[in-house]
């Protein structure tokens, strides 16, 4: 590795350095919001991350001749998830590095060799060892204040990945909508009004006091709307309940909508106030005092005026009937009643493999692209043809696994 030395993270002190070294990378960058320490630590705790049940993870820091930490990376895989790819694919993530290709190459080599020794044939980066909703993709456009849990990095990171040999597997777009009312086409408002007049349809705020019901409704819509496509794993109830429990302390129930047909959940639009506006001065700390400070700013002072659109979906059999428009119209009606409460809505993580959701964001929500993250893929066999992520559009056949 020439002038650089790699060190595996094994001790508590080394794990702390893995987190803290990022502060030096972003020194003086006014847009960077330091992630909360537990958000990173919990990913590498086998007691808290279920992907360890059938997987592994490892972390390294990179040091120069003077002992200064100049980079970091993690490598990981889960056997079930890796088997869903055309070739067994692991991941590398939590990458931070100085602007030096040889330093980046040393980190990428370590991740590649570790994964290859375990039978993996490719790696994606920079990604999370967990849900795609957090820490996923390399930011290449839109270097503005990130949403909570979204990767932010210096502009040169994309070049470090691509020079090493990573290629663009898919783009993840973040859309921005200012709180401009009546932005949808008139035909969509007419669809929404027809559904509002139909007693079989309801568009309601979610009652978070019954978390199990919310989880069941979320799971039912997700599995109808997405899990019928190749490469998408159905959501299990335990996972849905975990998501609901995570959202419960920070959600604003007034802007969390479900659509129902009779008693069946058929759609959801999940938004939360962005937490990054509230934790910028925490410097990664999240002890009891900082938890209380966050709740005060979030629930009492209501200081976050930016909404983070986490997930939007409609059950497959109800798509095209105006359900999307109905949920967006209900949100607009909230904005009309509460002018100034929220000033913008950002919808993150819409992959270019999902043209339907891109159309919903652009035509229904009337939002504009303003950030782009790239999920890169590196094939270990450099002679194997590279293919980008397939579009979500082919439903699974009955014989598909």
């Amino acid at each position: 590795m020439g002038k650089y030395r790699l060190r595996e993270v094994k001790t508590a002190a080394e794990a702390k350095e893995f987190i803290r070294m990022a502060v030096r990378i972003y020194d003086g960058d006014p847009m960077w919001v330091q992630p909360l320490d537990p958000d990173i630590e919990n990913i590498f705790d086998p007691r808290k991350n279920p992907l360890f049940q059938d997987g592994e993870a490892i972390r390294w820091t990179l040091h120069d001749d003077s002992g200064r930490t100049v980079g970091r990376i993690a490598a990981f895989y889960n056997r079930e998830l890796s088997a869903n790819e055309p070739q067994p694919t692991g991941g590398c993530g939590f990458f931070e590095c100085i602007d030096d290709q040889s330093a980046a190459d040393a980190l990428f080599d370590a991740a590649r060799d570790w994964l290859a020794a375990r039978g993996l044939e490719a790696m994606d980066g920079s990604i999370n060892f967990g849900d795609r909703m957090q820490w996923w993709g390399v930011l290449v456009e839109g270097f503005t204040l990130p949403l909570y849990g979204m990767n932010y990095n210096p502009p040169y990171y994309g070049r470090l990945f691509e020079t090493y040999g990573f290629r663009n597997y898919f783009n993840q777009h973040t859309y921005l909508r200012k709180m401009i009312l009546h932005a949808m086409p008139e035909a969509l408002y007419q669809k929404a009004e027809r559904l509002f007049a139909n007693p079989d349809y309801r568009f309601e705020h979610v009652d978070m006091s019954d978390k199990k019901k919310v989880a069941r409704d979320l799971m039912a819509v997700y599995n109808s709307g997405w899990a019928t496509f190749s490469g998408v794993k159905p959501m299990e109830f335990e996972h849905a309940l975990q998501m609901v429990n995570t959202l419960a302390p920070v959600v604003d129930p007034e802007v969390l909508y479900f659509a129902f047909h009779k008693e069946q959940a058929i759609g959801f639009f999940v938004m939360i106030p962005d937490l990054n506006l509230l934790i910028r001065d925490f410097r990664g700390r999240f002890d009891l005092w900082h938890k209380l400070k966050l709740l005060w700013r979030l629930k009492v002072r209501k200081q976050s005026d930016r909404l983070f659109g986490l997930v939007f979906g409609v059950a497959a059999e109800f798509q095209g009937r105006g359900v999307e428009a109905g949920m967006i119209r209900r949100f607009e009606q909230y904005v009309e009643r509460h002018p100034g409460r929220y000033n913008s809505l950002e919808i993150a993580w819409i992959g270019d493999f999902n043209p339907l959701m891109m159309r919903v964001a652009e035509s229904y929500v009337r939002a504009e692209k303003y950030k782009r993250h790239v999920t890169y893929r590196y094939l270990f066999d450099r002679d194997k043809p590279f293919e980008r992520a397939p579009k979500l559009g082919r439903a699974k056949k009955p014989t598909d696994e």
Side-chain angles (χ1 to χ4, degrees):
M1 294 192 300
K3 61 181 178 180
Y4 297 114
R5 179 169 48 89
L6 203 65
R7 178 184 298 163
E8 182 182 346
V9 172
K10 293 182 177 180
T11 68
E14 291 166 343
K16 184 176 181 179
E17 175 61 14
F18 181 86
I19 290 177
R20 293 298 173 187
M21 66 80 53
V23 176
R24 293 189 288 276
I25 296 290
Y26 298 96
D27 183 33
D29 187 338
M31 291 296 119
W32 184 61
V33 178
Q34 185 170 348
L36 298 174
D37 291 352
D39 286 347
I40 308 299
E41 293 166 347
N42 292 345
I43 290 166
F44 298 101
D45 186 342
R47 299 166 299 179
K48 297 180 179 179
N49 187 343
L51 292 183
F52 276 100
Q53 294 175 10
D54 194 22
E56 296 180 84
I58 188 172
R59 288 173 286 173
W60 297 276
T61 51
L62 190 71
H63 306 264
D64 63 15
D65 288 340
S66 69
R68 182 174 66 107
T69 308
V70 296
R72 75 180 194 193
I73 200 169
F76 36 79
Y77 70 95
N78 173 273
R79 291 178 181 85
E80 181 181 4
L81 295 178
S82 69
N84 288 335
E85 300 294 338
Q87 63 285 309
T89 302
C92 64
F94 303 92
F95 172 86
E96 302 287 0
C97 191
I98 60 173
D99 190 2
D100 184 326
Q101 190 65 50
S102 62
D105 289 352
L107 293 166
F108 294 142
D109 283 348
R112 179 199 62 197
D113 293 346
W114 185 84
L115 290 167
R118 284 152 181 78
L120 284 303
E121 298 176 9
M123 64 180 175
D124 291 346
S126 181
I127 67 169
N128 184 23
F129 189 41
D131 285 334
R132 285 185 172 186
M133 291 170 61
Q134 289 192 311
W135 318 122
W136 205 285
V138 178
L139 182 65
V140 297
E141 293 177 9
F143 295 90
T144 58
L145 187 74
L147 292 162
Y148 175 74
M150 296 290 106
N151 275 342
Y152 176 87
N153 52 257
Y156 63 82
Y157 275 26
R159 169 170 47 81
L160 296 179
F161 274 82
E162 292 176 12
T163 301
Y164 184 77
F166 283 90
R167 296 183 64 180
N168 183 321
Y169 187 54
F170 57 80
N171 294 305
Q172 303 144 231
H173 296 293
T174 298
Y175 285 83
L176 171 66
R177 175 182 170 172
K178 296 294 185 180
M179 291 306 175
I180 301 171
L181 299 177
H182 305 287
M184 289 193 300
E186 185 58 32
L188 297 181
Y189 287 109
Q190 293 174 4
K191 280 188 175 183
E193 291 301 326
R194 284 197 295 269
L195 293 187
F196 294 164
N198 186 334
D200 288 341
Y201 288 89
R202 293 182 288 119
F203 297 84
E204 299 179 350
H205 301 305
V206 172
D207 180 3
M208 294 297 288
S209 65
D210 190 349
K211 295 184 178 64
K212 289 185 177 179
K213 182 181 185 305
V214 176
R216 284 193 294 269
D217 290 341
L218 181 72
M219 179 182 68
V221 177
Y222 179 90
N223 287 342
S224 173
W226 283 284
T228 56
F229 295 107
S230 294
V232 179
K233 180 184 175 183
M235 181 183 289
E236 297 179 353
F237 175 74
E238 291 75 14
H239 185 195
L241 185 59
Q242 181 185 29
M243 288 180 62
V244 172
N245 285 330
T246 300
L247 289 173
V250 298
V251 76
D252 178 354
E254 293 294 307
V255 292
L256 196 160
Y257 298 90
F258 267 73
F260 296 89
H261 180 257
K262 298 182 179 179
E263 297 305 314
Q264 176 189 354
I266 60 171
F268 52 69
F269 191 5
V270 179
M271 296 173 279
I272 64 171
D274 179 40
L275 302 185
N276 267 3
L277 295 175
L278 309 178
I279 65 171
R280 298 181 75 174
D281 60 341
F282 285 15
R283 298 180 181 177
R285 295 167 295 182
F286 203 50
D287 52 25
L288 178 59
W289 169 244
H290 289 91
K291 290 178 182 178
L292 293 173
K293 185 181 288 189
L294 174 60
L295 288 175
W296 172 261
R297 293 173 175 178
L298 179 67
K299 300 292 188 179
V300 180
R301 298 291 300 278
K302 297 183 178 180
Q303 289 178 245
S304 180
D305 64 354
R306 178 166 76 161
L307 280 173
F308 180 177
L310 282 177
V311 62
F312 184 104
V314 175
E317 62 269 33
F318 288 90
Q319 292 174 7
R321 301 191 190 183
V323 176
E324 299 93 337
M327 290 188 289
I328 294 167
R329 179 59 186 145
R330 284 291 189 236
F331 170 60
E332 284 191 339
Q333 290 172 339
Y334 169 84
V335 174
E336 290 169 356
R337 296 192 303 271
H338 302 85
R341 174 64 185 94
Y342 295 107
N343 292 318
S344 65
L345 165 65
E346 298 185 27
I347 304 175
W349 226 120
I350 298 182
D352 63 1
F353 54 80
N354 192 347
L356 173 62
M357 279 308 303
M358 292 178 68
R359 287 196 298 272
V360 168
E362 293 166 10
S363 299
Y364 284 66
V365 184
R366 287 303 214 210
E368 298 180 352
K369 295 176 187 173
Y370 93 119
K371 288 182 185 288
R372 179 167 66 96
H373 289 76
V374 175
T375 293
Y376 287 107
R377 175 162 290 185
Y378 182 90
L379 302 180
F380 299 164
D381 181 352
R382 304 308 293 157
D383 295 324
K384 185 172 182 177
F386 177 85
E387 296 182 0
R388 298 194 75 234
K391 302 287 187 187
L392 280 181
R394 184 183 72 83
K396 291 178 180 176
K397 298 176 182 177
T399 56
D400 283 352
E401 295 296 331

